[in-house]
Amino acid sequence: MKQLPDDGLRAVFARHRTRMLAAAALLLATMLAGIALLGLAGGFITAAALAAGTAAGFNYFSPSAGVRALALARIASRYAEKLAGHDATLRVARDLRGWFFRRALPLAPARLGVLRTGELLARLMDDIGRVDGLFVRALGPLAAMAGAGLLGIGWAAWVDLRAGLLLAVAALAVGGGVPAVAAWRGRARERRHAALQARLRMRVHEGIEGATELAAMAASGRWAGRVDTAAAALAASGRQRRRRLAVADLLHALCGMAALLAMTALAASAVHRGQVPAAHAAALVFLTLALLETWAGMGLAWQALQGGRASARRLRAVVEQPVTVRDPARPVPVPGTDTLCMQGVVFAHPGGRRVLDGVELAVAPGQRVAIGGDSGGGKSTLAALAMRIHDPAAGTVSWGGVDLRDVAQGDWHARVAWMPQDAPVFAGSVRENLRMGHPDADEASMWRVLSALGLDGRVRACGGLDGEVGEGGALLSAGQARRLALARALLRPAPLLVLDEPTEGLDVDAAAALLLDLERALGARSLLLISHGPVPDALPWRRLRLQDGRLQAAP
């Protein structure tokens, strides 16, 4: 897919306005063909019935040819409209997802971390789905309905000015009054409905993720009750939306009946007075019927428009947050293998206490530094600063004497291999997981790092590099999944390795064995290890402790 500029949501639709206009024009042509077909057929039948006694002078061929032509035109335009409309929608869907991820990824994890996973999933699935369907569900139909109405009113006024005025009044009632009922308090209701959808998805997602813990605590029933409550609230909201739409449909039917009766009376009066030919009068009645049928989807289209706008606001609320880290206008080159240095680093999360207060640290080339400390003491924040996920409030983080704020994030991340505390193992093969760390790695490199971490035997037993590991590494033990995630980081050709709690969840012996294997696999690269667990005495690593926002030698 071609690279697209990082701009606003409206521009995503504007890129495809030609295709959308073409699809709307084809939809209008389909509506007009249907309206003309009903009007012509009605006029033809009426004229044929009136000419029954003098059939010899009646032209059957031209109207019947027109009926056949309009029927074929309606089929062709409808087929073409479906192709054009879905082509435009799929292109919008593609670009919309690209737009969202381009804007959202720089916010991770600092800004996106405030959203629960289920809520973010709801915005990705429900909100994007409603926004990318705005054209086919709302914008296109509304534009085509308006165009068909104007042309129909214009033709009716040409036949009889009073008929045109009557259709204009009906259009105002059906196109303005009925949607107003459907849209009454619609913005607030659609926001609430979207929030309820997100809540239900969040409950279900978190219940699946924590199924083991819920079962162990005998809390599955209580959680299921919370899911049922969220589902019931969403169902009630859905019923309210359907009731509102049903009321709008009822009003549309009442307005339609009144307009049809009025047009029938007007047409009959015009024929009786000799002002309008009978065939034209019949065509006016059938035109009214066709327009009312065309406008029947007005309420649903308005509701889709409101839902799409509410979802667009929710998406913008995510991506329009200010990013915590920005690339410089003119980034400088990143040095090769060199020293990571922190000088006088101060950091506090928004609205929180200082977690780092004057940190001083240097990790020389090839040096291993292990930093321990209490949970919540700022160890993971220190790793995030080293990765430049955050920038310090004061002080500098530099590499080879170059402040990381002066280099492009992509260039710096190419120099670092990172394994976060909750490093995932992705569903797929061992090969696919490893290549996320280094897409160009060959098989020899993969087997070398697996062997260094003592994982080669298990990989061969499960089918080699193409063996499946299961969702979240379900086919591996906890220790094996950790080693696979570490192998992925080690495979990355970077001079600095940053590990955040790599032994989390492992027992003491398994954690010690993992760190000993890590030492053998590191080679000449530097290591910054964040861990609250002990480091084996056999490892000649520099040990520090983070306490009260400062680093000091570990006891």
Side-chain angles (χ1 to χ4, degrees):
M1 186 179 75
K2 64 182 181 180
Q3 182 66 33
L4 297 170
D6 193 11
D7 45 18
L9 182 55
R10 289 180 182 272
V12 174
F13 286 85
R15 287 187 204 107
H16 305 289
R17 56 180 173 269
T18 302
R19 286 184 172 85
M20 290 192 291
L21 287 172
L26 287 167
L27 179 57
L28 175 60
T30 302
M31 290 182 178
L32 291 177
I35 292 168
L37 178 61
L38 188 56
L40 178 59
F44 178 38
I45 292 170
T46 302
L50 293 174
T54 58
F58 183 71
N59 180 9
Y60 289 94
F61 299 103
S62 297
S64 60
V67 168
R68 285 194 296 271
L70 287 171
L72 290 173
R74 185 172 183 271
I75 293 171
S77 63
R78 185 166 184 80
Y79 181 74
E81 176 267 321
K82 290 297 182 185
L83 288 179
H86 284 82
D87 176 65
T89 298
L90 290 173
R91 290 175 185 272
V92 168
R94 176 199 65 187
D95 290 354
L96 179 62
R97 282 156 177 77
W99 167 84
F100 183 82
F101 279 102
R102 283 196 314 276
R103 300 285 294 270
L105 286 179
L107 302 173
R111 295 291 185 183
L112 294 186
V114 301
L115 295 173
R116 297 170 75 169
T117 304
E119 183 180 358
L120 186 58
L121 185 63
R123 300 199 186 192
L124 288 173
M125 308 247 336
D126 299 329
D127 290 335
I128 287 182
R130 275 194 291 269
V131 173
D132 66 33
L134 262 177
F135 172 73
V136 292
R137 298 190 192 106
L139 299 176
L142 287 172
M145 287 177 201
L150 289 173
L151 290 173
I153 292 169
W155 185 85
W158 176 75
V159 174
D160 189 307
L161 182 59
R162 294 171 301 168
L165 292 174
L166 176 58
L167 274 181
V169 172
L172 288 175
V174 173
V178 173
V181 172
W184 179 67
R185 295 181 61 189
R187 178 178 297 183
R189 291 177 184 272
E190 290 300 327
R191 279 201 300 265
R192 180 175 179 273
H193 189 77
L196 290 173
Q197 279 185 317
R199 181 186 301 174
L200 176 59
R201 191 179 292 275
M202 179 180 65
R203 296 279 188 239
V204 172
H205 174 80
E206 291 178 347
I208 294 172
E209 287 289 303
T212 303
E213 289 78 6
L214 290 172
M217 295 183 292
S220 299
R222 292 195 298 276
W223 190 268
R226 298 177 71 179
V227 172
D228 289 341
T229 300
L234 179 61
S237 175
R239 286 193 296 271
Q240 288 179 350
R241 296 171 87 227
R242 289 190 293 274
R243 280 197 297 268
R244 194 166 69 253
L245 194 59
V247 170
D249 288 342
L250 175 61
L251 289 176
H252 178 275
L254 293 175
C255 292
M257 284 189 293
L260 190 59
L261 288 173
M263 183 61 76
T264 303
L266 189 152
S269 173
V271 171
H272 180 71
R273 295 177 182 175
Q275 297 172 332
V276 175
H280 286 181
L284 284 174
V285 174
F286 282 102
L287 170 67
T288 304
L289 183 62
L291 282 175
L292 291 171
E293 183 181 355
T294 299
W295 292 334
M298 189 79 73
L300 189 60
W302 274 108
Q303 191 174 78
L305 179 62
Q306 285 190 313
R309 292 177 65 185
S311 291
R313 283 191 292 271
R314 285 166 54 84
L315 293 177
R316 283 196 295 265
V318 173
V319 302
E320 290 181 357
Q321 301 178 82
V323 297
T324 57
V325 174
R326 293 185 181 276
D327 279 344
R330 296 181 179 178
V332 300
V334 182
T337 301
D338 220 308
T339 298
L340 175 70
C341 186
M342 295 187 180
Q343 295 177 306
V345 169
V346 175
F347 185 84
H349 291 287
R353 63 177 179 83
R354 283 190 178 186
V355 291
L356 300 178
D357 189 10
V359 167
E360 301 284 340
L361 173 67
V363 183
Q367 186 179 20
R368 283 74 152 133
V369 177
I371 298 177
D374 297 333
S375 296
K379 301 188 303 298
S380 294
T381 301
L382 189 146
L385 288 168
M387 287 291 301
R388 209 188 164 220
I389 294 172
H390 301 295
D391 281 334
T396 61
V397 181
S398 62
W399 175 257
V402 177
D403 193 321
L404 294 186
R405 285 172 289 202
D406 295 330
V407 303
Q409 295 173 72
D411 293 343
W412 169 237
H413 292 161
R415 296 282 193 274
V416 185
W418 182 44
M419 178 181 165
Q421 181 175 345
D422 53 353
V425 172
F426 300 95
S429 67
V430 174
R431 185 192 307 274
E432 290 168 338
N433 271 274
L434 290 176
R435 281 193 169 162
M436 288 184 182
H438 185 21
D440 299 324
D442 55 27
E443 289 195 6
S445 299
M446 293 182 189
W447 282 116
R448 190 159 48 248
V449 72
L450 290 171
S451 176
L453 292 176
L455 202 56
D456 53 331
R458 177 67 181 88
V459 170
R460 288 191 174 92
C462 74
L465 294 175
D466 293 317
E468 295 292 317
V469 298
E471 183 76 30
L475 302 181
L476 304 174
S477 69
Q480 290 166 346
R482 279 278 165 180
R483 287 174 181 266
L484 181 58
L486 181 55
R488 183 172 61 212
L490 286 169
L491 195 62
R492 186 174 178 84
L496 174 65
L497 180 65
V498 179
L499 304 181
D500 188 0
E501 303 287 3
T503 59
E504 180 72 19
L506 303 181
D507 59 46
V508 175
D509 292 338
L514 178 64
L515 294 180
L516 289 169
D517 288 340
L518 171 62
E519 169 63 23
R520 288 189 289 271
L522 274 173
R525 72 185 73 192
S526 308
L527 171 67
L528 177 60
L529 172 72
I530 305 297
S531 178
H532 65 266
V535 174
D537 293 335
L539 293 175
W541 293 1
R542 181 185 177 197
R543 294 165 175 79
L544 300 173
R545 180 175 178 81
L546 183 62
Q547 188 168 356
D548 298 327
R550 293 174 179 268
L551 287 174
Q552 54 190 3

